[in-house]
Amino acid sequence: MFRRIVLLLFLASQLSAETIRLYSFNIQIFGVSKMAKPEAAHILADIVSRADVTAIQEVRSASIAPVLEFMDLLPPQYAYVLGPREGRSGSKEQYWVIYDTTKLRLLAEATWADPEDLFERNPLGVYFQTRDSFDFILIDNHIQPSAAAREIAALPEVVRYFQELWGEKDVVLAGDFNADGVYYDETLLAAAFPEHEYHSIITNDYDTTVALSDNTYDRIIITASAGEDYAGACGVIRFDELYDFTELTINPRQVSDHYPVWAEFFTGADTD
Ligand SMILES: [Ca+2]
Ligand SMILES: [Ca+2]
Ligand SMILES: [Ca+2]
Ligand SMILES: [Ca+2]
């Protein structure tokens, strides 16, 4: 009898291997002029509505109007966290995390205070709980290309800060790391995120740029504790192939110069 119950429980757990899909997307200078291109706005909205949570970089708008307009294009269950306007110069950017409220509950949000002023744009931490056991911290970041080595080296400190702040080990670092090309020697990434502490999901062989050049600027890196939660599926969304641009008046570069990167996580495998 007991054995049969255990077997049934085991089968049930296998059947309900529910996952959430996380995207990271640099949507390149998001603001009034992007929203003034309805085709670009609708493609962006369609992409974001395929994800359960999307870490967005490069909101550049003095007004919140384009953000609100964009949210109106999404199904009603989507909500968002918008970080403060970040940047040392007059050019400010905001991090923007959009999530499906039927899949994720927002537990907390905070911006890294950056006491030594290491970052051009202080990373945003968002703490989520799925409907099942998986709870995790998503850190959205947009690394300054000209300071990529210094800022990337400081990310583990940001990870530890949020882990201690919320008492949560599982961290998903997502964003435009500018971790390739002329900005950064991508072979250094393994030293910045040592294998016993981190797992690199989007590895050096992915091309995350719409341009013909092959660069892995966009990354998803998780802490070792989230290895049990990672469902093993990841990739790049080739939206230039997903949508038929010959039918449109815009080209893929007017949507963004970056492809979204994605990863799937089990909602019910978490033990910490
Ligand atoms: Ca957890
Ligand atoms: Ca690469
Ligand atoms: Ca490319
Ligand atoms: Ca975990």
Side-chain angles (χ1 to χ4, degrees):
M1 181 64 184
F2 177 72
R3 239 194 238 168
R4 188 175 294 173
I5 289 170
V6 169
L7 178 68
L8 286 172
L9 285 173
F10 172 76
L11 289 173
S13 73
Q14 294 303 296
L15 287 172
S16 67
E18 200 197 321
T19 56
I20 55 158
R21 192 171 257 230
L22 180 145
Y23 284 16
S24 175
F25 196 4
N26 179 331
I27 58 176
Q28 197 190 20
I29 316 178
F30 179 86
V32 173
S33 55
K34 181 93 57 169
M35 286 307 290
K37 296 184 194 81
E39 291 170 326
H42 278 93
I43 286 177
L44 287 172
D46 187 68
I47 291 170
V48 169
S49 61
R50 289 163 188 256
D52 298 310
V53 55
T54 304
I56 293 172
Q57 303 89 43
E58 246 182 81
V59 172
R60 266 196 228 167
S61 177
S63 140
I64 197 166
V67 165
L68 300 178
E69 243 177 88
F70 186 80
M71 293 307 297
D72 280 342
L73 299 177
L74 298 176
Q77 72 266 27
Y78 282 88
Y80 69 91
V81 171
L82 187 66
R85 302 186 73 216
E86 295 281 346
R88 297 188 184 106
S89 70
S91 170
K92 305 290 184 195
E93 286 184 23
Q94 285 164 285
Y95 298 114
W96 189 14
V97 175
I98 300 177
Y99 64 99
D100 183 337
T101 56
T102 66
K103 303 282 183 66
L104 295 159
R105 189 158 62 92
L106 177 67
L107 298 178
E109 55 174 290
T111 296
W112 162 246
D114 197 15
E116 295 164 64
D117 192 24
L118 297 169
F119 290 90
E120 171 83 24
R121 294 166 282 262
N122 301 350
L124 173 72
V126 185
Y127 188 14
F128 283 115
Q129 172 74 56
T130 64
R131 285 181 305 182
D132 210 337
S133 58
F134 184 39
D135 53 355
F136 67 100
I137 298 165
L138 172 61
I139 299 180
D140 193 353
N141 63 269
H142 184 193
I143 296 299
Q144 176 66 15
S146 60
R150 191 187 68 206
E151 292 193 7
I152 288 170
L155 281 173
E157 191 185 339
V158 179
V159 169
R160 285 190 290 273
Y161 168 79
F162 283 117
Q163 282 178 322
E164 280 168 31
L165 181 66
W166 292 321
E168 171 61 54
K169 283 184 177 170
D170 300 322
V171 177
V172 179
L173 275 166
D176 175 5
F177 285 57
N178 278 301
D180 202 349
V182 296
Y183 309 126
Y184 189 77
D185 175 359
E186 66 184 358
T187 62
L188 299 176
L189 210 60
F193 298 96
E195 226 170 75
H196 60 283
E197 286 180 72
Y198 293 94
H199 174 66
S200 222
I201 292 181
I202 300 299
T203 46
N204 295 345
D205 45 329
Y206 287 93
D207 177 11
T208 72
T209 65
V210 176
L212 285 174
S213 55
D214 182 343
N215 285 299
T216 324
Y217 292 140
D218 305 85
R219 304 276 177 166
I220 298 174
I221 297 170
I222 59 174
T223 50
S225 63
E228 64 189 0
D229 308 301
Y230 174 48
C234 72
V236 166
I237 307 284
R238 288 290 307 263
F239 61 78
D240 52 342
E241 294 172 351
L242 193 59
Y243 305 98
D244 184 3
F245 280 88
T246 63
E247 301 282 314
L248 302 174
T249 64
I250 55 164
N251 62 60
R253 287 292 298 267
Q254 289 169 295
V255 175
S256 177
D257 54 349
H258 292 253
Y259 297 127
V261 291
W262 63 272
E264 278 183 6
F265 296 90
F266 294 121
T267 60
D270 199 5
T271 62
D272 48 24

